[in-house]
Short mmCIF file of all heavy atoms in Angstrom, two decimals:
data_model
loop_
_atom_site.label_atom_id
_atom_site.label_comp_id
_atom_site.label_asym_id
_atom_site.label_seq_id
_atom_site.Cartn_x
_atom_site.Cartn_y
_atom_site.Cartn_z
N VAL A 1364 -6.19 32.90 16.66
CA VAL A 1364 -5.91 33.93 17.70
C VAL A 1364 -6.08 35.36 17.24
O VAL A 1364 -6.15 36.31 17.99
CB VAL A 1364 -4.35 33.67 18.25
CG1 VAL A 1364 -4.35 32.31 18.87
CG2 VAL A 1364 -3.49 33.80 17.04
N THR A 1365 -6.10 35.58 15.96
CA THR A 1365 -6.29 36.78 15.35
C THR A 1365 -7.71 37.24 15.18
O THR A 1365 -8.02 38.31 14.57
CB THR A 1365 -5.58 36.89 13.97
OG1 THR A 1365 -6.14 35.84 13.09
CG2 THR A 1365 -4.02 36.70 13.98
N GLY A 1366 -8.66 36.42 15.65
CA GLY A 1366 -10.09 36.68 15.43
C GLY A 1366 -10.48 37.88 16.23
O GLY A 1366 -9.87 38.33 17.21
N ALA A 1367 -11.56 38.49 15.83
CA ALA A 1367 -12.09 39.72 16.50
C ALA A 1367 -12.48 39.43 17.91
O ALA A 1367 -13.15 38.39 18.30
CB ALA A 1367 -13.27 40.21 15.80
N ALA A 1368 -12.15 40.25 18.88
CA ALA A 1368 -12.39 39.90 20.34
C ALA A 1368 -13.89 40.11 20.57
O ALA A 1368 -14.66 41.06 20.00
CB ALA A 1368 -11.62 40.91 21.17
N ASP A 1369 -14.48 39.15 21.34
CA ASP A 1369 -15.76 39.22 21.91
C ASP A 1369 -16.92 39.44 20.80
O ASP A 1369 -17.94 40.02 20.99
CB ASP A 1369 -16.06 40.30 22.89
CG ASP A 1369 -17.33 40.22 23.72
OD1 ASP A 1369 -17.69 39.00 23.99
OD2 ASP A 1369 -17.98 41.21 24.07
N MET A 1370 -16.59 38.69 19.65
CA MET A 1370 -17.52 38.74 18.59
C MET A 1370 -18.87 37.98 19.06
O MET A 1370 -20.02 38.38 18.67
CB MET A 1370 -16.97 38.13 17.39
CG MET A 1370 -17.94 38.13 16.15
SD MET A 1370 -19.07 36.73 15.99
CE MET A 1370 -18.03 35.56 15.20
N ALA A 1371 -18.71 36.86 19.79
CA ALA A 1371 -19.87 36.08 20.23
C ALA A 1371 -20.87 36.98 21.11
O ALA A 1371 -22.03 36.83 20.86
CB ALA A 1371 -19.46 34.74 20.94
N GLY A 1372 -20.26 37.57 22.03
CA GLY A 1372 -21.06 38.34 22.91
C GLY A 1372 -21.76 39.48 22.21
O GLY A 1372 -23.13 39.71 22.49
N ALA A 1373 -21.21 40.14 21.31
CA ALA A 1373 -21.78 41.15 20.54
C ALA A 1373 -22.89 40.70 19.66
O ALA A 1373 -23.96 41.23 19.50
CB ALA A 1373 -20.79 41.98 19.76
N ALA A 1374 -22.64 39.50 19.05
CA ALA A 1374 -23.66 38.88 18.15
C ALA A 1374 -24.89 38.48 18.91
O ALA A 1374 -26.04 38.70 18.40
CB ALA A 1374 -23.02 37.66 17.41
N ILE A 1375 -24.73 37.90 20.11
CA ILE A 1375 -25.94 37.48 20.86
C ILE A 1375 -26.70 38.77 21.21
O ILE A 1375 -27.94 38.70 21.24
CB ILE A 1375 -25.35 36.72 22.16
CG1 ILE A 1375 -24.82 35.33 21.71
CG2 ILE A 1375 -26.58 36.48 23.10
CD1 ILE A 1375 -24.20 34.53 22.78
N SER A 1376 -26.04 39.76 21.66
CA SER A 1376 -26.80 41.01 21.96
C SER A 1376 -27.50 41.58 20.71
O SER A 1376 -28.66 41.96 20.85
CB SER A 1376 -25.83 41.98 22.52
OG SER A 1376 -25.20 41.57 23.75
N ALA A 1377 -26.84 41.50 19.56
CA ALA A 1377 -27.37 42.09 18.31
C ALA A 1377 -28.67 41.23 17.89
O ALA A 1377 -29.45 41.80 17.20
CB ALA A 1377 -26.27 42.07 17.29
N LEU A 1378 -28.69 40.05 18.22
CA LEU A 1378 -29.79 39.12 17.76
C LEU A 1378 -30.96 39.06 18.77
O LEU A 1378 -31.77 38.08 18.53
CB LEU A 1378 -29.17 37.65 17.49
CG LEU A 1378 -28.16 37.68 16.41
CD1 LEU A 1378 -27.51 36.26 16.32
CD2 LEU A 1378 -28.64 38.09 15.11
N SER A 1379 -31.03 39.91 19.76
CA SER A 1379 -32.24 40.04 20.45
C SER A 1379 -33.31 40.67 19.73
O SER A 1379 -33.06 41.41 18.76
CB SER A 1379 -31.95 40.82 21.80
OG SER A 1379 -31.68 42.30 21.42
N ALA A 1380 -34.49 40.36 20.12
CA ALA A 1380 -35.68 40.92 19.33
C ALA A 1380 -35.70 42.38 19.39
O ALA A 1380 -36.13 43.06 18.51
CB ALA A 1380 -36.98 40.25 19.87
N ASP A 1381 -35.23 42.96 20.51
CA ASP A 1381 -35.28 44.34 20.64
C ASP A 1381 -34.30 45.08 19.72
O ASP A 1381 -34.69 46.16 19.03
CB ASP A 1381 -34.88 44.82 22.07
CG ASP A 1381 -35.95 44.43 23.08
OD1 ASP A 1381 -37.15 44.27 22.65
OD2 ASP A 1381 -35.54 44.35 24.32
N GLU A 1382 -33.03 44.50 19.52
CA GLU A 1382 -32.06 45.01 18.51
C GLU A 1382 -32.46 44.81 17.10
O GLU A 1382 -32.41 45.62 16.22
CB GLU A 1382 -30.70 44.53 18.81
CG GLU A 1382 -30.06 45.12 20.12
CD GLU A 1382 -29.67 46.54 19.93
OE1 GLU A 1382 -29.60 46.98 18.73
OE2 GLU A 1382 -29.41 47.27 20.89
N LEU A 1383 -32.92 43.53 16.78
CA LEU A 1383 -33.13 43.09 15.45
C LEU A 1383 -34.49 43.57 14.83
O LEU A 1383 -34.63 43.83 13.69
CB LEU A 1383 -32.90 41.64 15.36
CG LEU A 1383 -32.65 40.96 14.08
CD1 LEU A 1383 -31.44 41.47 13.36
CD2 LEU A 1383 -32.60 39.46 14.26
N GLY A 1384 -35.39 43.56 15.83
CA GLY A 1384 -36.78 44.08 15.26
C GLY A 1384 -37.73 42.94 15.10
O GLY A 1384 -38.84 43.11 14.84
N PHE A 1385 -37.27 41.68 15.24
CA PHE A 1385 -38.08 40.51 14.99
C PHE A 1385 -37.34 39.38 15.62
O PHE A 1385 -36.24 39.36 15.86
CB PHE A 1385 -38.36 40.18 13.51
CG PHE A 1385 -37.24 40.07 12.66
CD1 PHE A 1385 -36.37 38.93 12.56
CD2 PHE A 1385 -36.85 41.19 11.93
CE1 PHE A 1385 -35.26 38.94 11.74
CE2 PHE A 1385 -35.72 41.21 11.04
CZ PHE A 1385 -34.93 39.97 10.98
N PRO A 1386 -38.05 38.36 16.21
CA PRO A 1386 -37.42 37.26 16.98
C PRO A 1386 -36.75 36.37 15.92
O PRO A 1386 -37.02 36.11 14.76
CB PRO A 1386 -38.68 36.42 17.50
CG PRO A 1386 -39.81 36.75 16.52
CD PRO A 1386 -39.51 38.07 16.12
N VAL A 1387 -35.58 35.73 16.44
CA VAL A 1387 -34.83 34.67 15.80
C VAL A 1387 -34.45 33.65 16.76
O VAL A 1387 -34.49 33.79 17.94
CB VAL A 1387 -33.52 35.27 15.10
CG1 VAL A 1387 -33.84 36.28 13.94
CG2 VAL A 1387 -32.60 35.88 16.21
N ARG A 1388 -33.91 32.57 16.28
CA ARG A 1388 -33.40 31.40 17.07
C ARG A 1388 -31.89 31.37 16.79
O ARG A 1388 -31.40 31.58 15.68
CB ARG A 1388 -34.00 30.11 16.69
CG ARG A 1388 -35.47 30.02 17.00
CD ARG A 1388 -36.04 28.71 16.47
NE ARG A 1388 -35.96 28.60 15.05
CZ ARG A 1388 -35.80 27.46 14.35
NH1 ARG A 1388 -35.74 26.26 15.05
NH2 ARG A 1388 -35.77 27.41 13.12
N VAL A 1389 -31.07 31.19 17.91
CA VAL A 1389 -29.64 31.28 17.68
C VAL A 1389 -28.92 30.08 18.25
O VAL A 1389 -29.30 29.63 19.34
CB VAL A 1389 -29.11 32.55 18.58
CG1 VAL A 1389 -27.58 32.67 18.40
CG2 VAL A 1389 -29.81 33.82 17.97
N VAL A 1390 -27.93 29.62 17.51
CA VAL A 1390 -27.03 28.54 17.97
C VAL A 1390 -25.67 29.10 18.02
O VAL A 1390 -25.21 29.55 16.93
CB VAL A 1390 -27.15 27.29 16.99
CG1 VAL A 1390 -25.97 26.29 17.40
CG2 VAL A 1390 -28.49 26.64 17.16
N LEU A 1391 -25.02 29.17 19.17
CA LEU A 1391 -23.58 29.54 19.32
C LEU A 1391 -22.79 28.25 19.26
O LEU A 1391 -22.77 27.46 20.19
CB LEU A 1391 -23.41 30.34 20.53
CG LEU A 1391 -22.01 30.68 20.94
CD1 LEU A 1391 -21.41 31.57 19.81
CD2 LEU A 1391 -21.88 31.42 22.22
#
Side-chain angles (χ1 to χ4, degrees):
V1364 295
T1365 55
D1369 197 31
M1370 186 272 275
I1375 291 173
S1376 297
L1378 297 175
S1379 68
D1381 289 341
E1382 285 288 345
L1383 198 58
F1385 50 84
V1387 294
R1388 296 174 296 150
V1389 181
V1390 171
L1391 173 61

